[in-house]
Coordinates of all heavy atoms in Angstrom, one line a residue:
M240 N 83.1 -60.4 -34.7 CA 82.2 -59.5 -34.0 C 82.4 -58.1 -34.3 O 81.6 -57.2 -34.1 CB 82.1 -59.8 -32.5 CG 81.6 -61.1 -32.2 SD 81.0 -61.1 -30.5 CE 80.9 -62.8 -30.2
S241 N 83.5 -57.8 -34.9 CA 83.8 -56.4 -35.3 C 82.8 -55.9 -36.3 O 82.3 -54.8 -36.3 CB 85.2 -56.3 -35.9 OG 85.4 -55.0 -36.4
L242 N 82.4 -56.8 -37.2 CA 81.4 -56.4 -38.2 C 80.1 -56.1 -37.6 O 79.4 -55.1 -37.9 CB 81.2 -57.6 -39.2 CG 80.2 -57.4 -40.3 CD1 80.6 -56.2 -41.2 CD2 80.0 -58.7 -41.2
Q243 N 79.7 -56.8 -36.5 CA 78.5 -56.5 -35.8 C 78.6 -55.1 -35.1 O 77.6 -54.4 -35.2 CB 78.3 -57.6 -34.7 CG 77.1 -57.5 -33.9 CD 76.9 -58.6 -32.9 OE1 77.9 -59.1 -32.4 NE2 75.7 -58.9 -32.5
K244 N 79.7 -54.8 -34.6 CA 79.9 -53.5 -34.0 C 79.8 -52.4 -35.0 O 79.2 -51.3 -34.8 CB 81.2 -53.4 -33.2 CG 81.1 -54.2 -31.9 CD 82.4 -54.1 -31.2 CE 82.4 -54.9 -29.9 NZ 83.7 -54.9 -29.2
D245 N 80.4 -52.6 -36.2 CA 80.4 -51.7 -37.3 C 78.9 -51.4 -37.7 O 78.6 -50.2 -37.9 CB 81.2 -52.1 -38.5 CG 82.7 -52.2 -38.2 OD1 83.1 -51.5 -37.2 OD2 83.4 -52.9 -38.9
Y246 N 78.1 -52.4 -37.9 CA 76.7 -52.2 -38.3 C 75.9 -51.6 -37.2 O 75.0 -50.9 -37.5 CB 76.1 -53.6 -38.7 CG 76.1 -53.8 -40.2 CD1 77.1 -54.5 -40.8 CD2 75.1 -53.3 -41.0 CE1 77.2 -54.8 -42.1 CE2 75.1 -53.5 -42.4 CZ 76.2 -54.3 -42.9 OH 76.2 -54.5 -44.3
E247 N 76.2 -51.8 -35.9 CA 75.5 -51.2 -34.9 C 75.5 -49.6 -34.9 O 74.6 -49.0 -34.6 CB 76.0 -51.6 -33.5 CG 75.6 -53.0 -33.1 CD 76.2 -53.5 -31.8 OE1 76.8 -52.7 -31.1 OE2 75.9 -54.7 -31.5
S248 N 76.6 -49.1 -35.4 CA 76.8 -47.6 -35.4 C 76.2 -47.0 -36.6 O 76.1 -45.8 -36.7 CB 78.3 -47.3 -35.3 OG 79.0 -47.7 -36.4
L249 N 75.8 -47.8 -37.6 CA 75.2 -47.2 -38.8 C 73.8 -46.8 -38.6 O 72.9 -47.5 -38.2 CB 75.2 -48.2 -40.0 CG 76.5 -48.4 -40.7 CD1 76.3 -49.5 -41.8 CD2 77.0 -47.2 -41.4
E250 N 73.5 -45.5 -39.0 CA 72.1 -45.0 -38.9 C 71.9 -44.0 -40.0 O 72.9 -43.3 -40.4 CB 71.8 -44.4 -37.6 CG 71.7 -45.4 -36.4 CD 71.2 -44.7 -35.2 OE1 70.5 -43.7 -35.2 OE2 71.5 -45.3 -34.1
T251 N 70.7 -43.9 -40.5 CA 70.4 -43.0 -41.6 C 68.9 -42.6 -41.4 O 68.1 -43.3 -40.8 CB 70.7 -43.5 -43.0 OG1 70.3 -42.6 -43.9 CG2 69.9 -44.8 -43.2
S252 N 68.6 -41.5 -42.0 CA 67.2 -41.1 -41.9 C 66.4 -41.6 -43.1 O 65.2 -41.6 -43.2 CB 67.0 -39.5 -41.9 OG 67.7 -39.0 -43.1
D253 N 67.1 -42.2 -44.1 CA 66.5 -42.9 -45.3 C 65.9 -44.2 -44.8 O 66.6 -45.1 -44.4 CB 67.5 -43.1 -46.4 CG 67.0 -43.7 -47.6 OD1 66.6 -44.9 -47.5 OD2 66.9 -43.0 -48.6
K254 N 64.6 -44.2 -44.8 CA 63.8 -45.4 -44.3 C 64.2 -46.7 -45.0 O 64.3 -47.7 -44.3 CB 62.3 -45.1 -44.3 CG 62.0 -44.1 -43.3 CD 60.5 -43.8 -43.3 CE 60.2 -42.7 -42.3 NZ 58.8 -42.4 -42.1
A255 N 64.3 -46.7 -46.3 CA 64.6 -47.9 -47.0 C 66.0 -48.4 -46.7 O 66.2 -49.6 -46.5 CB 64.4 -47.6 -48.5
M256 N 66.9 -47.5 -46.6 CA 68.3 -47.9 -46.3 C 68.4 -48.4 -44.9 O 69.1 -49.3 -44.6 CB 69.3 -46.7 -46.5 CG 70.7 -47.1 -46.4 SD 71.9 -45.7 -46.6 CE 71.7 -45.4 -48.4
Q257 N 67.7 -47.7 -44.0 CA 67.7 -48.1 -42.6 C 67.1 -49.5 -42.4 O 67.6 -50.3 -41.6 CB 67.0 -47.1 -41.7 CG 67.1 -47.3 -40.2 CD 68.6 -47.2 -39.7 OE1 69.3 -46.4 -40.1 NE2 68.9 -48.1 -38.8
K258 N 66.0 -49.8 -43.2 CA 65.4 -51.1 -43.1 C 66.4 -52.2 -43.6 O 66.6 -53.2 -43.0 CB 64.2 -51.2 -44.0 CG 63.5 -52.5 -44.0 CD 62.2 -52.4 -44.8 CE 61.5 -53.7 -44.7 NZ 61.6 -54.6 -45.8
D259 N 67.1 -51.9 -44.6 CA 68.1 -52.8 -45.2 C 69.3 -53.0 -44.1 O 69.7 -54.1 -43.9 CB 68.7 -52.3 -46.5 CG 69.4 -53.4 -47.3 OD1 68.9 -54.6 -47.2 OD2 70.4 -53.1 -48.0
I260 N 69.7 -51.9 -43.5 CA 70.7 -52.0 -42.5 C 70.2 -53.0 -41.3 O 71.0 -53.8 -40.8 CB 71.1 -50.6 -41.9 CG1 71.9 -49.9 -43.0 CG2 71.9 -50.7 -40.7 CD1 72.1 -48.4 -42.7
E261 N 69.0 -52.8 -40.9 CA 68.4 -53.6 -39.8 C 68.4 -55.1 -40.3 O 68.7 -56.0 -39.5 CB 67.0 -53.2 -39.5 CG 66.9 -51.8 -38.9 CD 67.6 -51.7 -37.5 OE1 67.7 -52.7 -36.8 OE2 68.1 -50.6 -37.2
E262 N 68.1 -55.4 -41.5 CA 68.1 -56.7 -42.0 C 69.5 -57.3 -42.0 O 69.7 -58.5 -41.7 CB 67.5 -56.8 -43.4 CG 66.0 -56.6 -43.5 CD 65.5 -56.4 -44.9 OE1 66.3 -56.4 -45.9 OE2 64.2 -56.2 -45.0
K263 N 70.5 -56.5 -42.4 CA 71.9 -57.0 -42.3 C 72.3 -57.2 -40.9 O 73.0 -58.2 -40.7 CB 72.8 -55.9 -43.0 CG 72.5 -55.6 -44.4 CD 72.7 -56.8 -45.3 CE 72.5 -56.4 -46.8 NZ 71.2 -56.8 -47.4
R264 N 71.9 -56.4 -40.0 CA 72.2 -56.6 -38.6 C 71.7 -58.0 -38.1 O 72.4 -58.8 -37.4 CB 71.6 -55.5 -37.7 CG 72.4 -54.2 -37.7 CD 71.7 -53.2 -36.8 NE 72.4 -51.9 -37.0 CZ 71.8 -50.8 -36.8 NH1 70.5 -50.7 -36.5 NH2 72.5 -49.7 -36.9
A265 N 70.5 -58.3 -38.5 CA 69.8 -59.6 -38.1 C 70.6 -60.7 -38.8 O 70.8 -61.8 -38.1 CB 68.4 -59.6 -38.6
R266 N 71.0 -60.6 -40.0 CA 71.8 -61.6 -40.7 C 73.1 -61.9 -40.0 O 73.6 -63.0 -39.9 CB 72.0 -61.3 -42.2 CG 72.7 -62.4 -42.9 CD 72.0 -63.7 -42.9 NE 72.8 -64.7 -43.5 CZ 72.8 -66.0 -43.1 NH1 72.1 -66.4 -42.1 NH2 73.6 -66.9 -43.7
I267 N 73.8 -60.8 -39.5 CA 75.0 -60.9 -38.8 C 74.8 -61.8 -37.5 O 75.6 -62.6 -37.2 CB 75.6 -59.5 -38.5 CG1 76.1 -58.9 -39.8 CG2 76.8 -59.7 -37.5 CD1 76.4 -57.4 -39.7
E268 N 73.7 -61.5 -36.8 CA 73.4 -62.3 -35.6 C 73.3 -63.8 -36.0 O 73.8 -64.6 -35.3 CB 72.1 -61.8 -35.0 CG 72.2 -60.5 -34.3 CD 73.0 -60.5 -33.1 OE1 73.0 -61.6 -32.3 OE2 73.7 -59.5 -32.8
E269 N 72.6 -64.0 -37.1 CA 72.5 -65.4 -37.6 C 73.8 -66.1 -37.9 O 74.1 -67.2 -37.6 CB 71.6 -65.5 -38.8 CG 70.1 -65.1 -38.6 CD 69.3 -65.0 -39.9 OE1 69.8 -65.5 -40.9 OE2 68.2 -64.4 -39.8
L270 N 74.7 -65.3 -38.6 CA 76.0 -65.8 -38.9 C 76.8 -66.1 -37.7 O 77.5 -67.2 -37.6 CB 76.8 -64.8 -39.8 CG 76.3 -64.6 -41.2 CD1 77.1 -63.4 -41.8 CD2 76.4 -65.8 -42.0
I271 N 76.7 -65.3 -36.7 CA 77.5 -65.5 -35.4 C 77.0 -66.8 -34.8 O 77.8 -67.7 -34.3 CB 77.3 -64.3 -34.4 CG1 78.1 -63.1 -35.0 CG2 77.8 -64.7 -33.0 CD1 77.8 -61.8 -34.3
K272 N 75.7 -67.0 -34.7 CA 75.1 -68.3 -34.2 C 75.5 -69.5 -35.0 O 75.9 -70.5 -34.4 CB 73.6 -68.2 -34.1 CG 73.1 -67.2 -33.0 CD 71.6 -67.0 -33.0 CE 71.2 -66.0 -32.0 NZ 69.7 -65.7 -32.1
E273 N 75.5 -69.4 -36.3 CA 75.9 -70.5 -37.2 C 77.3 -70.8 -36.9 O 77.7 -72.0 -36.9 CB 75.6 -70.2 -38.6 CG 74.2 -70.4 -39.1 CD 74.1 -70.2 -40.6 OE1 74.7 -70.9 -41.3 OE2 73.3 -69.3 -41.0
A274 N 78.2 -69.8 -36.8 CA 79.6 -70.0 -36.6 C 79.9 -70.8 -35.3 O 80.7 -71.7 -35.3 CB 80.4 -68.7 -36.7
A275 N 79.1 -70.4 -34.3 CA 79.3 -71.0 -33.0 C 78.9 -72.5 -33.1 O 79.5 -73.4 -32.5 CB 78.5 -70.3 -31.9
K276 N 77.8 -72.7 -33.8 CA 77.2 -74.1 -33.9 C 78.1 -75.0 -34.7 O 78.2 -76.2 -34.5 CB 75.8 -74.0 -34.6 CG 75.1 -75.3 -34.5 CD 73.6 -75.1 -34.9 CE 73.3 -74.4 -36.1 NZ 71.9 -74.4 -36.5
H277 N 78.8 -74.5 -35.7 CA 79.6 -75.3 -36.7 C 81.1 -75.0 -36.5 O 81.9 -75.0 -37.5 CB 79.2 -75.0 -38.1 CG 77.8 -75.3 -38.4 ND1 77.4 -76.6 -38.5 CD2 76.7 -74.5 -38.6 CE1 76.1 -76.6 -38.8 NE2 75.6 -75.4 -38.8
K278 N 81.5 -74.7 -35.3 CA 82.9 -74.3 -35.0 C 84.0 -75.1 -35.6 O 85.0 -74.6 -36.1 CB 83.1 -74.2 -33.5 CG 84.1 -73.3 -33.0 CD 84.1 -73.2 -31.5 CE 84.8 -72.0 -31.1 NZ 84.7 -71.7 -29.7
G279 N 83.8 -76.5 -35.7 CA 84.8 -77.3 -36.2 C 84.7 -77.6 -37.7 O 85.6 -78.3 -38.2
D280 N 83.7 -77.1 -38.3 CA 83.5 -77.4 -39.8 C 84.1 -76.3 -40.6 O 83.6 -75.3 -40.8 CB 82.0 -77.5 -40.0 CG 81.7 -78.1 -41.4 OD1 82.5 -77.9 -42.4 OD2 80.6 -78.7 -41.6
K281 N 85.3 -76.6 -41.1 CA 86.1 -75.6 -41.9 C 85.3 -75.1 -43.1 O 85.4 -74.0 -43.5 CB 87.4 -76.2 -42.3 CG 88.4 -76.4 -41.2 CD 89.7 -76.9 -41.6 CE 90.6 -77.1 -40.4 NZ 91.9 -77.5 -40.8
Y282 N 84.6 -76.0 -43.8 CA 83.8 -75.6 -45.0 C 82.8 -74.6 -44.7 O 82.7 -73.6 -45.3 CB 83.2 -76.9 -45.7 CG 82.3 -76.5 -46.8 CD1 82.9 -76.1 -48.0 CD2 80.9 -76.5 -46.7 CE1 82.1 -75.8 -49.1 CE2 80.1 -76.2 -47.8 CZ 80.7 -75.8 -49.0 OH 79.9 -75.5 -50.0
I283 N 82.0 -74.9 -43.7 CA 80.9 -74.0 -43.3 C 81.5 -72.7 -42.8 O 81.0 -71.6 -43.1 CB 80.0 -74.6 -42.2 CG1 79.2 -75.7 -42.9 CG2 79.0 -73.6 -41.6 CD1 78.2 -76.5 -42.0
I284 N 82.6 -72.7 -42.0 CA 83.2 -71.5 -41.5 C 83.7 -70.7 -42.6 O 83.6 -69.4 -42.6 CB 84.3 -71.8 -40.5 CG1 83.8 -72.5 -39.2 CG2 85.1 -70.6 -40.1 CD1 82.8 -71.7 -38.4
A285 N 84.3 -71.3 -43.7 CA 84.8 -70.6 -44.8 C 83.6 -69.9 -45.5 O 83.7 -68.7 -46.0 CB 85.5 -71.5 -45.8
K286 N 82.5 -70.6 -45.7 CA 81.3 -70.0 -46.3 C 80.8 -68.8 -45.5 O 80.4 -67.7 -46.0 CB 80.1 -71.0 -46.4 CG 80.2 -71.8 -47.6 CD 79.0 -72.8 -47.7 CE 77.7 -72.1 -47.7 NZ 76.5 -73.1 -47.9
L287 N 80.8 -68.9 -44.2 CA 80.3 -67.8 -43.3 C 81.3 -66.6 -43.4 O 80.8 -65.5 -43.4 CB 80.2 -68.3 -41.9 CG 79.1 -69.4 -41.6 CD1 79.2 -69.9 -40.2 CD2 77.7 -68.9 -41.9
K288 N 82.6 -66.9 -43.5 CA 83.5 -65.8 -43.6 C 83.3 -65.1 -44.9 O 83.4 -63.8 -44.9 CB 85.0 -66.3 -43.5 CG 85.4 -66.7 -42.1 CD 86.9 -67.1 -42.1 CE 87.3 -67.4 -40.7 NZ 88.7 -67.8 -40.7
K289 N 83.0 -65.8 -46.0 CA 82.8 -65.2 -47.3 C 81.6 -64.3 -47.2 O 81.6 -63.2 -47.7 CB 82.7 -66.2 -48.4 CG 82.6 -65.6 -49.7 CD 82.7 -66.7 -50.8 CE 82.6 -65.9 -52.1 NZ 83.2 -66.6 -53.2
E290 N 80.5 -64.8 -46.6 CA 79.3 -64.0 -46.4 C 79.6 -62.7 -45.6 O 79.1 -61.6 -45.9 CB 78.1 -64.8 -45.9 CG 76.8 -64.0 -45.9 CD 75.6 -64.8 -45.6 OE1 75.7 -66.1 -45.5 OE2 74.5 -64.2 -45.4
A291 N 80.4 -62.9 -44.5 CA 80.7 -61.8 -43.7 C 81.5 -60.7 -44.5 O 81.3 -59.5 -44.3 CB 81.5 -62.2 -42.5
E292 N 82.4 -61.2 -45.3 CA 83.1 -60.2 -46.2 C 82.2 -59.5 -47.1 O 82.4 -58.2 -47.3 CB 84.2 -61.0 -47.0 CG 85.3 -61.5 -46.2 CD 86.2 -62.5 -47.0 OE1 86.1 -62.6 -48.2 OE2 87.1 -63.1 -46.3
T293 N 81.2 -60.1 -47.6 CA 80.2 -59.5 -48.5 C 79.4 -58.4 -47.7 O 79.2 -57.3 -48.2 CB 79.2 -60.5 -49.1 OG1 80.0 -61.5 -49.9 CG2 78.2 -59.9 -49.9
L294 N 79.0 -58.8 -46.5 CA 78.3 -57.8 -45.6 C 79.2 -56.6 -45.3 O 78.7 -55.5 -45.2 CB 77.8 -58.5 -44.3 CG 76.7 -59.5 -44.5 CD1 76.4 -60.3 -43.3 CD2 75.4 -58.8 -45.0
R295 N 80.5 -56.9 -45.1 CA 81.4 -55.8 -44.8 C 81.5 -54.8 -46.0 O 81.5 -53.6 -45.8 CB 82.8 -56.3 -44.4 CG 83.7 -55.2 -44.0 CD 85.1 -55.7 -43.6 NE 85.0 -56.7 -42.5 CZ 84.8 -56.5 -41.2 NH1 84.6 -55.2 -40.8 NH2 84.8 -57.4 -40.3
A296 N 81.5 -55.4 -47.2 CA 81.6 -54.5 -48.4 C 80.3 -53.7 -48.5 O 80.4 -52.5 -48.9 CB 81.8 -55.4 -49.6
I297 N 79.2 -54.3 -48.2 CA 77.9 -53.6 -48.3 C 77.9 -52.5 -47.3 O 77.5 -51.4 -47.6 CB 76.7 -54.6 -48.1 CG1 76.6 -55.5 -49.3 CG2 75.4 -53.8 -47.8 CD1 75.7 -56.7 -49.0
M298 N 78.4 -52.8 -46.1 CA 78.4 -51.8 -45.0 C 79.3 -50.6 -45.4 O 78.9 -49.4 -45.2 CB 79.0 -52.4 -43.7 CG 79.0 -51.4 -42.6 SD 80.2 -51.7 -41.3 CE 81.7 -51.8 -42.2
I299 N 80.5 -50.9 -46.0 CA 81.3 -49.8 -46.5 C 80.6 -48.9 -47.5 O 80.7 -47.7 -47.5 CB 82.7 -50.4 -47.0 CG1 83.5 -50.9 -45.9 CG2 83.5 -49.3 -47.8 CD1 84.7 -51.8 -46.3
G300 N 79.8 -49.6 -48.4 CA 79.0 -48.8 -49.4 C 78.0 -47.9 -48.7 O 77.8 -46.8 -49.1
Y301 N 77.4 -48.4 -47.6 CA 76.4 -47.6 -46.9 C 77.1 -46.4 -46.2 O 76.6 -45.3 -46.2 CB 75.8 -48.4 -45.8 CG 74.7 -49.4 -46.2 CD1 74.5 -50.6 -45.5 CD2 73.9 -49.2 -47.3 CE1 73.5 -51.5 -45.9 CE2 73.0 -50.1 -47.8 CZ 72.8 -51.2 -47.0 OH 71.9 -52.1 -47.4
V302 N 78.3 -46.6 -45.7 CA 79.0 -45.6 -45.0 C 79.3 -44.5 -46.0 O 79.1 -43.3 -45.8 CB 80.3 -46.1 -44.4 CG1 81.2 -44.9 -43.9 CG2 80.0 -47.0 -43.2
H303 N 79.8 -44.8 -47.2 CA 80.1 -43.9 -48.3 C 78.8 -43.1 -48.7 O 78.8 -41.9 -48.9 CB 80.7 -44.5 -49.5 CG 82.1 -45.0 -49.2 ND1 83.2 -44.1 -49.1 CD2 82.6 -46.2 -49.1 CE1 84.3 -44.8 -48.8 NE2 84.0 -46.1 -48.8
T304 N 77.7 -43.9 -48.9 CA 76.4 -43.2 -49.3 C 75.9 -42.3 -48.2 O 75.5 -41.1 -48.5 CB 75.4 -44.3 -49.6 OG1 75.9 -45.2 -50.6 CG2 74.1 -43.7 -50.0
I305 N 75.9 -42.7 -47.0 CA 75.5 -41.9 -45.9 C 76.3 -40.6 -45.8 O 75.8 -39.5 -45.6 CB 75.4 -42.6 -44.6 CG1 74.3 -43.7 -44.6 CG2 75.2 -41.7 -43.4 CD1 74.4 -44.7 -43.5
D306 N 77.7 -40.8 -45.9 CA 78.6 -39.7 -45.8 C 78.3 -38.7 -47.0 O 78.3 -37.5 -46.8 CB 80.0 -40.1 -45.8 CG 81.0 -39.0 -45.6 OD1 80.8 -38.3 -44.6 OD2 81.9 -38.9 -46.4
S307 N 78.1 -39.2 -48.2 CA 77.8 -38.4 -49.3 C 76.5 -37.6 -49.2 O 76.5 -36.4 -49.5 CB 77.8 -39.2 -50.6 OG 79.0 -39.8 -50.9
L308 N 75.5 -38.3 -48.7 CA 74.2 -37.6 -48.4 C 74.4 -36.5 -47.4 O 73.8 -35.4 -47.5 CB 73.2 -38.6 -48.0 CG 72.8 -39.6 -49.1 CD1 71.8 -40.7 -48.5 CD2 72.1 -38.9 -50.3
K309 N 75.1 -36.7 -46.3 CA 75.3 -35.7 -45.3 C 76.1 -34.5 -45.9 O 75.8 -33.4 -45.6 CB 76.1 -36.3 -44.1 CG 75.3 -37.2 -43.2 CD 76.1 -37.7 -42.1 CE 75.3 -38.6 -41.2 NZ 76.1 -39.1 -40.1
H310 N 77.1 -34.8 -46.7 CA 77.8 -33.8 -47.4 C 77.0 -32.9 -48.3 O 77.0 -31.7 -48.3 CB 79.0 -34.4 -48.2 CG 79.9 -33.4 -48.8 ND1 80.7 -32.5 -48.1 CD2 80.1 -33.0 -50.1 CE1 81.4 -31.7 -48.9 NE2 81.0 -32.0 -50.2
I311 N 76.1 -33.6 -49.1 CA 75.2 -32.9 -50.0 C 74.3 -32.0 -49.2 O 74.0 -30.9 -49.5 CB 74.5 -33.8 -50.9 CG1 75.5 -34.5 -51.9 CG2 73.3 -33.2 -51.6 CD1 74.9 -35.7 -52.7
K312 N 73.7 -32.6 -48.2 CA 72.7 -31.9 -47.3 C 73.4 -30.7 -46.7 O 72.8 -29.6 -46.6 CB 72.2 -32.8 -46.2 CG 71.1 -32.2 -45.4 CD 70.5 -33.3 -44.5 CE 69.4 -32.7 -43.6 NZ 68.9 -33.6 -42.7
S313 N 74.6 -30.8 -46.2 CA 75.3 -29.6 -45.6 C 75.6 -28.5 -46.6 O 75.6 -27.4 -46.3 CB 76.5 -30.1 -44.8 OG 77.5 -30.5 -45.7
N314 N 75.9 -28.9 -47.8 CA 76.2 -27.9 -48.9 C 75.0 -27.2 -49.4 O 75.1 -26.1 -49.9 CB 77.0 -28.6 -50.0 CG 78.4 -28.9 -49.7 OD1 78.9 -28.3 -48.7 ND2 79.0 -29.7 -50.4
T315 N 73.8 -27.9 -49.3 CA 72.6 -27.2 -49.8 C 71.9 -26.5 -48.7 O 70.9 -25.8 -49.0 CB 71.6 -28.3 -50.4 OG1 71.3 -29.2 -49.4 CG2 72.2 -28.9 -51.6
G316 N 72.3 -26.6 -47.5 CA 71.7 -25.9 -46.3 C 70.4 -26.5 -45.9 O 69.7 -25.8 -45.2
C317 N 70.1 -27.7 -46.2 CA 68.9 -28.4 -45.7 C 69.0 -28.8 -44.3 O 69.9 -29.2 -43.8 CB 68.6 -29.6 -46.6 SG 68.2 -29.1 -48.3

């Protein structure tokens, strides 16, 4: 659920990126429900963990992009 909390705090004024973040939040909700439903199935849990790792990597990329954009914006005085 840490991944879920991490995505909750992500926000940007870029509409396309924000839409993608919202889609990732929804997918995280689905993963949590699937994990609860298949709690004893090691194969499915392993697949869900792998997808969660992918989502975490995407989130880290978003954080870097948002931070870079804020830095550029502050340096240009916009």
